[in-house]
Amino acid sequence: MSYTPSTESLIKALQILPGIGVRSAQRLALHLLERAPDDAKSLNHALSDALSKVKKCPSCRTLTESPLCEICTDEARDSTVLCVVISDADKEGLELSGHFNGRYFVLHGVLSPIDGIGPEQLGIWQLVDKLTAADNSVTEVLLALDDQMESDATAYFINEQLKKLKIECARVRFSQFKSGTLDKADSRIIADAFANKQSLGFEHD
Amino acid sequence: MSYTPSTESLIKALQILPGIGVRSAQRLALHLLERAPDDAKSLNHALSDALSKVKKCPSCRTLTESPLCEICTDEARDSTVLCVVISDADKEGLELSGHFNGRYFVLHGVLSPIDGIGPEQLGIWQLVDKLTAADNSVTEVLLALDDQMESDATAYFINEQLKKLKIECARVRFSQFKSGTLDKADSRIIADAFANKQSLGFEHD
């Protein structure tokens, strides 16, 4: 005896969620099928809907349902400063604070060779192309990544690419805030971090 | 600014999962859309598949993909003893132990008026109908519910109904094992619990 084949498949599929192991997945699958089939249908519909509608903005990789995201189309934003963040959640945190009026570039992760996440998966070559395009207006890139080891390595790698382009690059540090928790940082902490950005400098000619 | 409408809907839908609050739901939604869209499609497919194929057995409410579940169709099982469990996970735990050869009835929950879960939602009237049917062969019902307060109340309620039917009813207690964790109980504990079942007795005529 064991669970039905479709139940077992669902238990396996739920384990793709971060932090969900086999026992949690069993618990979630049985909850959905035993007690909450209507909720499960809503979840299925919401997931299907989001998967078909939500895309990455071709210019900045923010999740969007429009051909170009709201910030990239907003003429009032400063197009000379580009803030690189790990996740849409971080961008949301910065937007909530109201202390940044430039544009963003969202990596959706950090370099992690062991997980097969390299510069290509993070859009770093796309970032380089964007900054070398004929119509590029960005003169400063702010790396608003957290202090985790992989984030530091990612910031270092991006800075190495930007040095070649001779674009000013600075690190904006929000100590104590891991990626995804920036919306918990109060507005003053975010303002301070931008004010105290650390230039990663390139050799000016 | 905030997440896109479909992303917000997904965040809301994920909160139906037990133990998932708004922040966890945000993290899961962004993980699915940002980093794992292929996994998200697999999850969507698995959920859709399970929702369309998995039903409750009309006789015992076990989750099944057949018209009648495997145990209900197995002629080798003892049809005179019926073990009532809270969840399919508990039934799985008992099956793994190999110490019970009767049939099951799965409540898929416990009485919880505040959540709108009454006897109807747990199939208790269905259980009563089954035990009063002309072809009923069950002479003993074992209530293998855990020791939580709501489970005790549920056992009491079921026993009250069974007293009227004059069917032997006993409580099987797996101390220290909450519903859903019975597959962690070793086989001896389960054997002991069945051997030490506590009769809830009815007034014999």
Side-chain angles (χ1 to χ4, degrees), chain B residues 12 14 26 130 138 164 169 173 176 180 193:
Chain B
K12 198 170 165 205
L14 283 164
Q26 268 175 14
K130 177 182 168 87
V138 176
K164 299 174 195 162
C169 186
R173 288 185 189 271
Q176 303 168 6

Side-chain angles (χ1 to χ4, degrees), chain A residues 4 6 34 65 88 108, chain B residues 4 6 34 56 65 88 108:
Chain A
T4 76
S6 302
E34 287 185 324
E65 295 181 31
D88 254 34
H108 299 296
Chain B
T4 76
S6 302
E34 288 185 322
K56 285 173 184 154
E65 295 180 31
D88 253 35
H108 299 295

Side-chain angles (χ1 to χ4, degrees), chain A residues 114-148:
Chain A
I114 204 168
D115 300 314
I117 302 175
E120 179 66 32
Q121 285 70 34
L122 301 181
I124 294 176
W125 305 136
Q126 181 186 336
L127 173 64
V128 169
D129 288 347
K130 178 182 167 86
L131 296 173
T132 48
D135 62 349
N136 172 53
S137 52
V138 177
T139 55
E140 184 180 25
V141 171
L142 302 177
L143 302 176
L145 314 189
D146 64 18
D147 286 343
Q148 303 286 294

Side-chain angles (χ1 to χ4, degrees), chain A residues 1 4, chain B residues 55-74 88 91 103-104 106:
Chain A
M1 274 303 298
T4 76
Chain B
K55 310 285 175 206
K56 285 173 184 154
C57 169
S59 174
C60 76
R61 292 173 44 102
T62 289
L63 297 180
T64 182
E65 295 180 31
S66 312
L68 212 60
C69 81
E70 278 185 52
I71 293 178
C72 284
T73 48
D74 183 352
D88 253 35
K91 191 207 71 188
R103 294 209 169 110
Y104 293 93
V106 187

Side-chain angles (χ1 to χ4, degrees), chain B residues 111-177:
Chain B
L111 291 173
S112 180
I114 205 168
D115 301 314
I117 302 175
E120 178 65 31
Q121 285 70 34
L122 300 182
I124 294 175
W125 305 137
Q126 181 186 335
L127 173 64
V128 169
D129 287 348
K130 177 182 168 87
L131 297 173
T132 49
D135 62 350
N136 173 53
S137 52
V138 176
T139 55
E140 184 180 26
V141 171
L142 301 177
L143 302 176
L145 314 189
D146 64 19
D147 285 344
Q148 303 286 295
M149 199 174 67
E150 295 86 350
S151 309
D152 279 343
T154 306
Y156 178 85
F157 183 87
I158 295 173
N159 187 44
E160 287 300 298
Q161 311 313 312
L162 300 188
K163 272 182 189 169
K164 299 174 195 162
L165 309 182
K166 311 213 165 171
I167 287 181
E168 287 284 356
C169 186
R171 186 80 183 265
V172 178
R173 288 185 189 271
F174 309 90
S175 302
Q176 303 168 6
F177 289 92

